[in-house]
């Protein structure tokens, strides 16, 4: 099973700041099958990034994903108030499909 | 535009069977263009993949749930369902149904979630 570890657990930033979230896998994620989601309180997750770097439909370009192998990152270039939420990575290169434990992005 | 909506009992007794249904609109569960998926989120915790149905020959479950889980599709009602047997308090969670396309297992459509308490 591929375990995903996200860091930091909590990130405290201000609107306008740049956010850098990390997702590390215990083994290489095949074909860069790495996905990022955003979850706001009381809401289902929202797809942001798939294939490690491809933005989903309707996702603003301030969100970008990168990485390969075992190291992946999600960058939010300039935080908007609505970006403060929990972010999860997920891999589907290996069975079972697994999620990271999440990074909480909070307002400083 | 596809929409998903979960339904089912909010309270299940320990050792009983949890049954949830996901109603699909805007797409057909009988085509082979989607992975029909269940995800759960325990209170205050992260996301856990439960399993998906792609076709009758392609159903995959999280091994952590063992033989307790079954996902099935009902084409007559355009729904897919989750059945989890012998539940315990550890199965208390919000259960989401979701859909992913074939190219990437990226869950791009989600239901709002159904809270199930085992007590």
């Amino acid at each position: 099973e591929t375990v995903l570890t996200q860091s930091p657990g909590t990130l405290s930033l201000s609107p306008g700041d740049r956010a850098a979230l990390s997702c590390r896998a215990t083994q290489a994620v095949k074909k860069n099958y790495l996905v990022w989601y955003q979850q706001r309180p009381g809401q289902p997750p929202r797809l942001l990034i798939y294939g490690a770097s491809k933005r989903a439909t309707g996702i603003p370009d301030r969100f970008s994903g990168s990485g390969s192998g075992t190291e992946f990152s999600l960058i939010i270039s300039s935080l908007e108030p609505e970006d403060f939420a929990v972010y999860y990575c997920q891999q589907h290169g290996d069975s079972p499909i697994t999620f990271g434990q999440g990074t909480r992005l909070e307002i400083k | 535009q596809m929409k998903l909506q979960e339904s089912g009992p909010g309270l299940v007794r320990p050792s009983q069977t949890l049954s949830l249904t996901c109603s699909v609109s805007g797409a057909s569960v009988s085509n082979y263009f989607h992975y029909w998926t269940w995800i759960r989120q325990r209170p205050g915790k992260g996301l856990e993949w439960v399993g998906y149905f792609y076709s009758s020959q392609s159903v995959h479950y999280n091994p952590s749930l063992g033989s307790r889980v079954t996902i099935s599709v009902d084409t007559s009602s355009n729904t897919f369902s989750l059945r989890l047997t012998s539940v315990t308090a550890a199965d208390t969670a919000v259960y989401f149904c979701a859909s992913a396309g074939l190219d990437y297992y990226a869950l791009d459509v989600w239901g709002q979630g159904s809270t199930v308490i085992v007590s």
Side-chain angles (χ1 to χ4, degrees), chain B residues 85-99:
Chain B
T85 62
S86 304
V87 297
T88 69
D91 295 309
T92 292
V94 176
Y95 286 79
F96 296 99
C97 59
S99 168

Side-chain angles (χ1 to χ4, degrees), chain A residues 38-102:
Chain A
Q38 174 195 69
Q39 188 178 31
R40 297 174 178 138
Q43 295 293 315
R46 172 194 181 198
L47 174 64
L48 298 176
I49 301 287
Y50 64 95
S53 61
K54 301 174 186 3
R55 264 189 306 274
T57 302
I59 301 303
D61 60 7
R62 64 180 182 272
F63 291 91
S64 63
S66 64
S68 64
T70 62
E71 302 278 346
F72 298 88
S73 62
L74 174 70
I75 301 294
I76 311 171
S77 59
S78 179
L79 287 165
E80 297 287 341
E82 63 268 26
D83 297 338
F84 292 91
V86 180
Y87 292 82
Y88 294 96
C89 58
Q90 170 231 303
Q91 68 81 28
H92 60 104
D94 184 27
S95 185
I97 292 161
T98 51
F99 290 87
Q101 83 282 12

Side-chain angles (χ1 to χ4, degrees), chain B:
Chain B
Q1 178 185 354
M2 187 195 308
K3 291 186 179 180
L4 306 177
Q5 178 65 58
E6 305 89 350
S7 61
L11 180 64
V12 181
R13 299 298 183 193
S15 80
Q16 300 300 306
T17 296
L18 179 160
S19 294
L20 293 172
T21 296
C22 183
S23 299
V24 179
S25 60
S28 172
V29 297
S30 60
N31 67 37
Y32 296 142
F33 299 143
H34 303 279
Y35 291 101
W36 305 110
T37 297
W38 288 96
I39 302 291
R40 71 180 184 180
Q41 187 167 34
R42 293 171 179 154
K45 302 296 183 183
L47 303 168
E48 181 182 18
W49 176 70
V50 173
Y52 69 70
F53 181 104
Y54 166 63
S55 71
S56 57
Q57 287 77 41
S58 181
V59 188
H60 291 270
Y61 303 122
N62 194 323
S64 68
L65 297 171
S67 60
R68 299 194 299 130
V69 62
T70 304
I71 296 174
S72 59
V73 157
D74 184 342
T75 56
S76 64
S77 60
N78 209 37
T79 61
F80 64 103
S81 298
L82 170 68
R83 187 169 180 269
L84 187 64
T85 62
S86 304
V87 297
T88 69
D91 295 309
T92 292
V94 176
Y95 286 79
F96 296 99
C97 59
S99 168
L102 296 187
D103 292 339
Y104 293 88
Y105 192 83
L107 297 161
D108 57 347
V109 182
W110 293 71
Q112 284 300 304
S114 179
T115 299
V116 178
I117 297 172
V118 179
S119 177

